[in-house]
Amino acid sequence: MNDWLQVLRESADLRRKFHESIASLEPKVRRLARGGWTLPMWATPAQTAAIAKMVPLRSLDSFFVRLYSAPGSPQYLEMTQALESSPRLRPWRATLRDILRAYEGGLYRLVIPAALAVFEGVYADTVDHLRRRGHPKTLAEQERKSAARGLESVVSASISEFINQLYKNIDFGLRAPRRLNRNWVHHGRIAPRRSRADALRLLHAIHTVSSSRRPGRIEIERMVRDPAVRAMLQSH
């Protein structure tokens, strides 16, 4: 009996450390999003924290472009496979396949407006607003405020900050923004730049949004039992 009690106490302690470790990521993923990049779904918590800490904001674009553009990049392969096979992306699958072909052909000016539209639709679907009115910034802030602590709050914080940047309200009478702005592109106030970084950041964001879901108890238990995660938590 004492052995079982010890196992239960250790399991509860690991779960607590897991949630604390995940919660500490929130300011880090917000920083990445301010630089134009949502939470990378292929990265471990430690890898995400390292990117946020070690890569300056001004260098994030070049970092992710190099990462995704390296020959045989496992990150690019994981992302594109998810974009082409995720059940949550079924309504946009044909469009996404065309977008990926255009991206791989270097047609970034075509990729950007198409990927913006897909991102907006996927996000609306994720928050159950596909058939209802609602501005993405408002929806993202509502999701952030209602998110449970832990994984859900980290993902919501990342997406909310990214959307705040992407949908930033900049009057059309002012100088054109240097960073990608959905309103300026979709309302024809500026032509999309021939930017591999902008094309990738949108594909990356679609991957984040389509992969995000509220983690259930079974998933958390599985993650806590993972030897790599246990080692990370026990070192704290």
Side-chain angles (χ1 to χ4, degrees):
M1 178 64 72
N2 288 338
D3 288 345
W4 278 108
L5 288 174
Q6 180 65 23
V7 169
L8 289 173
R9 280 195 291 267
E10 289 178 357
S11 179
D13 186 52
L14 284 172
R15 283 196 297 273
R16 177 183 58 79
K17 288 184 176 182
F18 173 78
H19 285 295
E20 290 174 354
S21 176
I22 292 298
S24 71
L25 280 178
E26 188 166 326
K28 299 176 177 66
V29 300
R30 282 188 170 278
R31 182 179 183 276
L32 291 179
R34 284 195 296 274
W37 297 89
T38 53
L39 176 69
M41 302 309 287
W42 38 259
T44 65
Q47 289 170 335
T48 300
I51 294 169
K53 180 180 179 180
M54 299 175 65
V55 183
L57 282 181
R58 65 180 182 278
S59 301
L60 280 173
D61 281 7
S62 58
F63 170 82
F64 279 103
V65 168
R66 287 198 305 271
L67 187 75
Y68 279 125
S69 303
S73 166
Q75 294 83 9
Y76 182 75
L77 183 61
E78 179 176 332
M79 178 180 72
T80 54
Q81 286 179 340
L83 294 180
E84 291 189 296
S85 63
S86 170
R88 295 183 64 177
L89 293 173
R90 186 172 291 111
W92 301 274
R93 185 163 296 158
T95 303
L96 281 166
R97 286 173 177 161
D98 287 346
I99 287 172
L100 289 172
R101 280 194 291 270
Y103 170 79
E104 290 169 2
L107 303 175
Y108 309 133
R109 290 192 181 98
L110 297 180
V111 169
I112 291 165
L116 277 168
V118 171
F119 171 80
E120 190 165 320
V122 172
Y123 184 69
D125 184 52
T126 299
V127 298
D128 298 322
H129 259 71
L130 189 61
R131 304 302 178 196
R132 291 183 284 168
R133 294 179 64 85
H135 194 282
K137 287 174 69 172
T138 303
L139 297 175
E141 183 62 14
Q142 290 171 350
E143 285 293 303
R144 187 191 66 79
K145 288 180 177 179
S146 65
R149 294 179 62 188
L151 284 172
E152 187 181 334
S153 66
V154 169
V155 175
S156 294
S158 171
I159 295 170
S160 176
E161 186 64 42
F162 177 79
I163 286 176
N164 281 338
Q165 299 296 324
L166 184 64
Y167 288 79
K168 187 172 287 186
N169 187 23
I170 302 174
D171 191 277
F172 293 146
L174 300 178
R175 178 178 296 182
R178 298 182 65 181
R179 297 182 65 175
L180 179 63
N181 183 279
R182 179 268 185 194
N183 300 331
W184 279 66
V185 171
H186 267 200
H187 291 288
R189 279 6 186 231
I190 189 173
R193 297 181 299 158
R194 189 178 181 275
S195 168
R196 174 179 280 195
D198 284 346
L200 275 172
R201 88 174 75 256
L202 292 169
L203 296 173
H204 176 100
I206 294 167
H207 184 212
T208 301
V209 171
S210 64
S211 301
S212 66
R213 59 188 176 90
R214 297 185 178 184
R217 182 178 180 82
I218 292 175
E219 181 182 0
I220 290 174
E221 294 285 353
R222 177 188 60 76
M223 295 179 75
V224 168
R225 288 197 300 269
D226 185 276
V229 174
R230 291 175 69 93
M232 177 189 73
L233 296 176
Q234 289 169 338
S235 69
H236 283 65

